Amino acid sequence: MLISDLPLTTDGFRRPCLSLSPVDTSRVDVFWHEGMLQHAAVEGVFDSGLDPGFLDVLEKHPENADRVRNMLSILQRGPIAPYINWFPGRPAIVSELLMFHTSEYINKLVEAEKSGERCEIAAGTFMSPGSWEAALLAAGTTLSAMQHILDCHGKLAYALVRPPGHHSQPTQADGYCFLNNAALAVMLALDSGSCSRVAVVDIDVHYGNGTAEGFYRSDKVLTVSLHMNHGSWGSSHPQNGSIDELGEDVGLGYNLNVPLPNGTGDRGYEYAMTELVVPAVRKFGPEMVVLVVGQDSSAFDPNGRQCLTMSGYRRIGEIMREVAEEHSHGRLLMVQEGGYHVTYAAYCLHAMLEGVLKIPEPHLSDPIAYYPEEEAIAVAAVKSIKRYHSEFVPFLRKELEDVLNE
């Protein structure tokens, strides 16, 4: 290995890993802890916890343990099982949480846990006995996955975690999220001395507003979010996810939102990835890549209005593996977020990891798609966003102008 092949640290030196032995990239290292299942789901009307009194059957909150049980079992017993290495998760400690969150906010969560009662700390976001322990495990497990990569024990790691995190902002909970697992992992990478720039690509159907908010004034982190065009949903989610939310100060241009029209499917997402995400990441030049994964962009998810199928998730996995190999020495951390169809979310996870692993042919057929797609509206939206970036995103301006003039 040449010195020039080593990651450049923040002090300008290239430091080798502790071990220069080859790292197996034919398998994914999955981090998991069953204590995350303790976060109890409320029942009611969708995510409200409301019992109106006239319904005989109430539904579980969409972010319930069953969805993750199926993700776990498909990795343990599905066709992809031989390609998985398993590693234990662990709880985060408070000092780690303070890398991203304020002490006032963490104290609020601790006090809510001490009350021993169920409480709604943001719209649709309930804390019950066991929730805080699960949230600490989700954060710590994600940190362990990132540390695993930083220590050169693996290049492809997946944190199978709940509760999710990407809506959680430094000062408040939001959208089923208490602690921002992915953002904490980004901070760990930046603080490690082996990464000076991190790219975060979020494909959850909802805007990764918490991650964006935390790095909104930083040029060390490129946040790119592909989401349905849902706008703000209240005081816990004041951000709109619109294309003009670009970051501020030195961070101007390093928050890129890609609000896709409702109904965008496999071809529309691939077009957005190849035309917007890949060029932006290439220009940014990260030394670590984080993929924030939500299967709620699927055609059958109850909490989203997009139309990805297993094929689309597989293609996204392939693209992100290529991005990591080009820019971050193949280092790719994947962090689980949403995905609320109890069975299809697991299938889409399986397909995405097949793409990441470059498995030539699908090992699972799609049980419920085919879903017809007309990508013209999505393609037009992506072209419009590209034109906007060419005008208002400083670090992309010249490159996109050249592309548009071809």
Side-chain angles (χ1 to χ4, degrees):
M1 177 183 289
L2 300 174
I3 292 297
S4 59
D5 292 331
L6 299 174
L8 183 66
T9 65
T10 52
D11 58 10
F13 293 98
R14 296 187 185 272
R15 294 197 179 113
C17 296
L18 295 177
S19 172
L20 295 180
S21 58
V23 175
D24 184 6
T25 56
S26 65
R27 296 160 71 94
V28 173
D29 298 331
V30 178
F31 287 74
W32 162 254
H33 194 292
E34 65 179 11
M36 289 180 282
L37 298 175
Q38 296 180 51
H39 176 42
V42 298
E43 293 186 347
V45 178
F46 197 58
D47 65 1
S48 68
L50 174 67
D51 180 355
F54 47 74
L55 296 176
D56 285 342
V57 180
L58 299 176
E59 59 186 318
K60 289 182 179 180
H61 190 286
E63 205 296 282
N64 63 74
D66 291 345
R67 54 183 284 271
V68 173
R69 284 192 177 98
N70 273 345
M71 293 178 189
L72 176 66
S73 62
I74 204 170
L75 299 185
Q76 290 177 327
R77 305 197 305 273
I80 204 169
Y83 300 90
I84 302 296
N85 296 321
W86 290 95
F87 293 87
R90 52 96 176 169
I93 59 176
V94 169
S95 61
E96 291 174 320
L97 306 181
L98 297 179
M99 290 190 296
F100 183 79
H101 295 287
T102 64
S103 57
E104 293 79 8
Y105 172 57
I106 298 303
N107 289 337
K108 177 182 176 181
L109 294 177
V110 170
E111 290 303 313
E113 167 69 10
K114 287 180 179 178
S115 73
E117 300 178 356
R118 190 186 81 186
C119 62
E120 188 173 15
I121 62 173
T125 307
F126 295 89
M127 178 171 277
S128 305
S131 297
W132 180 234
E133 181 179 349
L136 290 174
L137 283 167
T141 297
T142 307
L143 289 169
S144 290
M146 175 60 88
Q147 191 66 59
H148 181 80
I149 296 175
L150 293 170
D151 289 343
C152 304
H153 297 312
K155 289 189 174 182
L156 304 174
Y158 167 56
L160 176 54
V161 294
R162 74 176 286 265
H166 73 147
H167 296 309
S168 178
Q169 296 144 73
T171 62
Q172 64 178 347
D174 177 43
Y176 317 160
C177 302
F178 305 104
L179 301 172
N180 197 314
N181 309 310
L184 288 167
V186 170
M187 290 302 303
L188 178 65
L190 292 174
D191 291 347
S192 70
S194 63
C195 298
S196 61
R197 295 181 305 280
V198 180
V200 181
V201 178
D202 188 329
I203 62 167
D204 188 279
V205 80
H206 305 107
Y207 177 35
N209 61 307
T211 314
E213 179 70 21
F215 300 111
Y216 208 64
R217 295 164 184 84
S218 172
D219 60 356
K220 305 296 184 185
V221 181
L222 173 68
T223 52
V224 186
S225 178
L226 292 79
H227 48 266
M228 68 178 183
N229 198 2
H230 55 69
S232 171
W233 59 56
S235 60
S236 70
H237 191 110
Q239 304 86 0
N240 289 308
S242 53
I243 60 175
D244 59 346
E245 293 178 350
L246 291 171
E248 294 178 350
D249 301 329
V250 297
L252 179 64
Y254 294 96
N255 185 71
L256 300 179
N257 292 331
V258 184
L260 294 169
N262 290 2
T264 299
D266 295 346
R267 292 192 294 273
Y269 266 83
E270 181 175 5
Y271 189 75
M273 292 291 294
T274 57
E275 294 297 311
L276 294 175
V277 178
V278 172
V281 174
R282 179 178 295 124
K283 187 70 173 179
F284 179 67
E287 293 157 354
M288 181 69 71
V289 177
V290 177
L291 175 60
V292 178
V293 184
Q295 294 80 22
D296 45 4
S297 299
S298 85
F300 306 98
D301 196 273
N303 216 358
R305 297 296 178 266
Q306 302 296 48
C307 293
L308 277 175
T309 68
M310 289 176 66
S311 177
Y313 276 100
R314 180 185 176 91
R315 182 65 185 126
I316 290 173
E318 292 171 347
I319 292 171
M320 291 306 301
R321 176 70 181 273
E322 293 166 1
V323 165
E325 289 182 338
E326 180 178 353
H327 301 290
S328 59
H329 302 269
R331 300 188 297 179
L332 176 64
L333 172 66
M334 296 161 280
V335 183
Q336 181 61 45
E337 295 289 347
Y340 304 104
H341 191 293
V342 171
T343 53
Y344 197 56
Y347 274 77
C348 290
L349 169 63
H350 194 286
M352 189 202 75
L353 292 179
E354 284 184 340
V356 168
L357 288 167
K358 303 181 182 180
I359 296 174
E361 297 294 331
H363 284 26
L364 276 179
S365 59
D366 196 315
I368 50 181
Y370 167 76
Y371 196 94
E373 177 186 356
E374 173 50 65
E375 72 268 29
I377 296 176
V379 168
V382 169
K383 288 181 177 179
S384 177
I385 295 170
K386 177 182 276 191
R387 285 192 293 271
Y388 185 88
H389 286 172
S390 72
E391 184 174 357
F392 294 106
V393 178
F395 88 99
L396 286 178
R397 189 174 292 148
K398 185 178 187 306
E399 179 172 301
L400 287 180
E401 282 177 347
D402 293 343
V403 171
L404 290 168
N405 290 331
E406 288 179 357

